[in-house]
Amino acid sequence: SASGSRMFTWDLRKVAATTMDDAQRAGFGRYETLTGRAQGVAGHHMVGDRLYTSAVDNGVRLWDMRSLMVKSKIVGHGDFVRALTSAAGRLISASDDKTIRLWDLEFHDCVKILRGHTSYITDITVARGRLFSASMDKTVRVWA
C-alpha cells in the first residue's frame, strides 16, 4: 500500500481473519516501510522479485528488496506516471503525458512509446496478449 512518498509492505501471514478494534488493527501485520524521494507514490507492480513504483515526479523506481532502498530511477515520461504493468519481458508505464512506454527490464531503456490518447492515461492492463489502456479522453484503447 502507499501513502504519500512511502510504501508499506505487509506480512499477510500475520493478518488473521479475526475481529479487531481500531487500536488493534492499526499497524497490525505491517512489515516494513519503504521511503524514497518521490513526491508521492501513485502505483506499484512486481516483476518477479523486483518492486517498481510510479510517482508524481514523472519517474518510475526500482526497489532493492533486501536493503529496502531505491536501486534505480527510470526516467522518460514528461508528467505524472499513474500506472504500471508488465508483459513479455517489458515493464509498461502509463502517464499523464498521454503516452505509454515499454521498458527493457534489464537496462531500463525505453524500447517503445505508444501514442494515441488525447488525455491522461489512468490505467493499463495486459490480457490475452494485448495491452489495454483507459484514459480521461473517455476511451479504452487496445494495443496489439
Side-chain angles (χ1 to χ4, degrees):
S1 63
S3 174
S5 62
R6 298 178 300 171
M7 287 286 300
F8 302 106
T9 62
W10 301 87
D11 185 344
L12 297 180
R13 296 168 297 190
K14 293 181 182 178
V15 179
T18 61
T19 303
M20 295 181 281
D21 62 30
D22 288 340
Q24 292 171 316
R25 194 175 299 112
F28 183 76
R30 186 178 292 174
Y31 186 65
E32 298 288 347
T33 302
L34 287 68
T35 305
R37 294 180 164 251
Q39 296 170 352
V41 178
H44 62 287
H45 184 73
M46 292 292 298
V47 180
D49 62 351
R50 296 176 173 193
L51 172 65
Y52 291 90
T53 59
S54 61
V56 299
D57 67 355
N58 311 349
V60 174
R61 287 172 174 71
L62 168 61
W63 293 82
D64 181 325
M65 296 309 293
R66 288 189 187 100
S67 68
L68 303 178
M69 301 295 292
V70 174
K71 187 173 181 178
S72 64
K73 182 177 177 186
I74 304 168
V75 296
H77 280 290
D79 207 337
F80 175 28
V81 180
R82 288 190 182 266
L84 300 170
T85 193
S86 61
R90 303 284 190 233
L91 178 69
I92 306 167
S93 58
S95 170
D96 280 6
D97 68 6
K98 306 171 194 161
T99 68
I100 298 169
R101 293 180 181 253
L102 285 70
W103 306 90
D104 173 79
L105 282 172
E106 186 175 354
F107 299 107
H108 299 134
D109 295 326
C110 181
V111 296
K112 191 169 191 175
I113 301 173
L114 302 175
R115 293 181 173 89
H117 282 292
T118 59
S119 190
Y120 306 142
I121 301 167
T122 57
D123 200 14
I124 51 176
T125 192
V126 175
R128 298 183 179 177
R130 294 184 176 182
L131 174 65
F132 296 81
S133 59
S135 171
M136 293 301 288
D137 64 11
K138 303 178 187 172
T139 66
V140 173
R141 292 190 179 259
V142 182
W143 309 85

